[in-house]
Amino acid sequence: MRKFRMLAVPVVIVMIAAACTKKAENNDNGQAANKGTVNVLNALEPAENKVLQSITDDLITPEVDYKTEFEVADDIAQQIQIRSEGGTLDVVLVPQPGAVVQQATDGNAVSLEDMGFDMSQLEETFGAYFLSLGEYNGEHYGIPTNINLKSMVWYPKDDFDKAGYTVPTTWDEMIALSDQIKADGGTPWCVGFESGGDTGWPATDWMEDIMLATAGTDTYTKWIKHEIPFNDPAVMHAGELFGDVMFTDGYVLGGASQTPSIAFADAPLPMFENPPKCWLHRQASFINAFFPKGTEPGVDYDWFPFPSIDQQGTLFAGELAVVFSNRPEVKDFLERFMAEDVQCAMGSEPGSSRISPNVNVGPDCYPNPILADASQVLTEALAGGGAAGFDASDQMPPQVGSGSFWTEMMSYMQDGPDSLKTHLDNIEASWPAA
């Protein structure tokens, strides 16, 4: 159009502009007429990124006049900083609500209200609690796009049943089961905390599950907000119970001191050997994407909820889409991406093990009963039907949640049970000033 603007008389310019405006408002195909590309930066595994790209190409791209590009960044925190300053970010899938709020605080993110989203409709779709995790100064900065259940303990069902073991429903029963497995000559627990630059996060999940199950949601929330110190007796108690599993002789394959060097994705694999080298593995719903090919859910493996202690709680995590560019095509993409058909298609991909935070996406969207059951637990939690808590470390300031909490838990594994207070004191000292 630039050529015609240079050559044409003003009346022609007006006619062309009017025609362009009319097409943008209502083109013949009913498509969004926004040109260009919507970039979606993320820190997903390459295979999962490929799944999202493929589904978007199949279900969204044919309906619109823009392209969507999913891009994996290994150093996503650094990339967000660099590219937000350069104005080259559209959407980022962020797994830490604390980081979402930080981007809002820094003035980089665009609020959903400014984008024109109907917040009451979003609350009906995702639940008020999940949406509130991306709230800052009364406005919202994150749309839930994925969720995973963390309060899960996996076991090799066929061998488990043959051995005559019973699924525990309480912490004491789980410890008794661990003792029985050990007495039978086995090793109860498969544990691995290594995750490259993110090493330590699976250990913080243990602490968070135990905090919910001992202190309850109110104290759990105070812990996240630093309304109680990190070395509070409630946190000490959780750390001691965590240590009861990690440091009991013969409980953990390889011993606690080796867990920081065992990759979290590899940790459950000895569970599938014949006979199993370890029998129990506490990890989130996505872990079965790393199980050996050919293993069948409900036959080769199953799961039970992380057991109650003094309270019953549901620990979950997920990701929020954060907007950095207030353009019509960005909003259009997000509306389509969070819709039931796209979310159901993502859930149906066994290789990604994604669960939708959209409460209208039913269990029949998932490829196996494991994910279907987990989705129902999460849907109930999102709708307010259970005592649920989002991953605590993901809500804490990055210096703590993805810093000292991770590293001090790894030092705890190597230094032994008597070192707990020292490591909790160190985390408390690292909490940034208000």
Side-chain angles (χ1 to χ4, degrees):
M1 290 179 63
R2 184 175 303 158
K3 180 179 179 180
F4 286 103
R5 285 197 186 100
M6 294 174 63
L7 298 176
V9 294
V11 67
V12 177
I13 297 175
V14 172
M15 291 174 63
I16 294 172
C20 291
T21 301
K22 185 172 182 60
K23 180 181 179 184
E25 293 174 349
N26 183 24
N27 68 15
D28 293 338
N29 297 323
Q31 297 177 337
N34 309 294
K35 303 293 185 181
T37 299
V38 176
N39 178 264
V40 185
L41 193 69
N42 63 77
L44 303 175
E45 292 292 327
E48 187 174 2
N49 183 78
K50 186 177 180 180
V51 166
L52 299 193
Q53 185 69 66
S54 176
I55 290 172
T56 299
D57 289 344
D58 289 345
L59 298 182
I60 296 179
T61 302
E63 302 295 324
V64 299
D65 286 341
Y66 58 86
K67 294 181 179 180
T68 305
E69 176 187 54
F70 286 83
E71 178 188 354
V72 175
D74 293 331
D75 56 344
I76 190 166
Q78 183 178 5
Q79 285 300 312
I80 289 174
Q81 183 67 26
I82 294 171
R83 291 166 65 170
S84 63
E85 291 175 358
T88 59
L89 277 182
D90 293 334
V91 177
V92 182
L93 303 184
V94 179
Q96 292 97 5
V100 176
V101 174
Q102 187 62 55
Q103 291 302 318
T105 304
D106 292 345
N108 296 326
V110 181
S111 77
L112 304 183
E113 285 84 355
D114 285 347
M115 293 288 292
F117 283 101
D118 183 334
M119 296 311 301
S120 62
Q121 184 179 28
L122 290 181
E123 285 192 4
E124 289 179 7
T125 303
F126 302 112
Y129 173 69
F130 204 165
L131 270 179
S132 73
L133 300 179
E135 186 174 353
Y136 173 71
N137 277 354
E139 295 193 346
H140 299 78
Y141 290 84
I143 293 181
T145 50
N146 183 39
I147 190 170
N148 55 76
L149 178 60
K150 292 209 164 188
S151 297
M152 304 178 78
V153 180
W154 302 82
Y155 62 96
K157 180 172 173 55
D158 47 358
D159 293 297
F160 192 91
D161 292 345
K162 288 176 186 176
Y165 297 142
T166 302
V167 168
T169 59
T170 67
W171 177 267
D172 289 342
E173 289 178 0
M174 190 171 73
I175 295 300
L177 172 61
S178 300
D179 289 336
Q180 182 61 56
I181 292 171
K182 181 180 171 183
D184 291 342
T187 301
W189 289 94
C190 320
V191 185
F193 298 142
E194 193 276 329
S195 185
D198 298 333
T199 293
W201 66 260
T204 66
D205 285 357
W206 269 93
M207 286 286 291
E208 291 154 4
D209 246 333
I210 296 172
M211 275 292 290
L212 272 175
T214 53
T217 53
D218 289 345
T219 301
Y220 182 83
T221 301
K222 290 178 181 178
W223 177 46
I224 292 168
K225 295 181 177 180
H226 204 218
E227 293 174 1
I228 61 171
F230 219 103
N231 49 10
D232 185 87
V235 189
M236 278 288 297
H237 180 49
E240 289 166 352
L241 291 179
F242 178 34
D244 287 345
V245 173
M246 294 296 114
F247 299 118
T248 296
D249 186 47
Y251 263 26
V252 173
L253 186 64
S257 64
Q258 297 302 308
T259 58
S261 62
I262 298 173
F264 82 92
D266 295 337
L269 300 183
M271 190 168 67
F272 295 96
E273 296 190 23
N274 186 20
K277 286 188 175 180
C278 49
W279 292 76
L280 304 170
H281 182 63
R282 196 229 70 91
Q283 188 52 276
S285 53
F286 57 74
I287 194 63
N288 67 340
F290 299 96
F291 288 175
K293 286 187 177 182
T295 52
E296 186 176 348
V299 177
D300 299 303
Y301 63 89
D302 210 335
W303 69 281
F304 57 84
F306 191 85
S308 61
I309 305 177
D310 303 312
Q311 311 265 350
Q312 183 65 58
T314 300
L315 181 69
F316 73 96
E319 70 189 19
L320 296 141
V322 184
V323 178
F324 290 78
S325 178
N326 190 352
R327 308 198 320 271
E329 60 266 39
V330 174
K331 182 186 178 187
D332 182 79
F333 161 73
L334 288 172
E335 288 175 335
R336 294 172 187 272
F337 188 66
M338 67 186 180
E340 291 174 45
D341 60 337
V342 174
Q343 291 284 306
C344 184
M346 286 190 289
S348 69
E349 285 287 339
S352 67
S353 292
R354 288 177 71 90
I355 298 176
S356 175
N358 185 328
V359 299
N360 300 309
V361 175
D364 56 341
C365 286
Y366 300 95
N368 60 63
I370 301 286
L371 290 176
D373 291 346
S375 76
Q376 289 185 292
V377 171
L378 289 166
T379 295
E380 180 182 347
L382 290 178
F390 194 95
D391 186 295
S393 61
D394 286 347
Q395 299 183 70
M396 293 173 179
Q399 301 96 315
V400 178
S402 55
S404 60
F405 194 5
W406 289 356
T407 57
E408 293 296 329
M409 285 298 99
M410 293 303 87
S411 296
Y412 179 37
M413 292 299 97
Q414 294 174 325
D415 295 343
D418 295 338
S419 68
L420 176 62
K421 186 177 185 305
T422 296
H423 296 302
L424 295 185
D425 288 347
N426 290 343
I427 300 171
E428 172 61 21
S430 74
W431 199 285

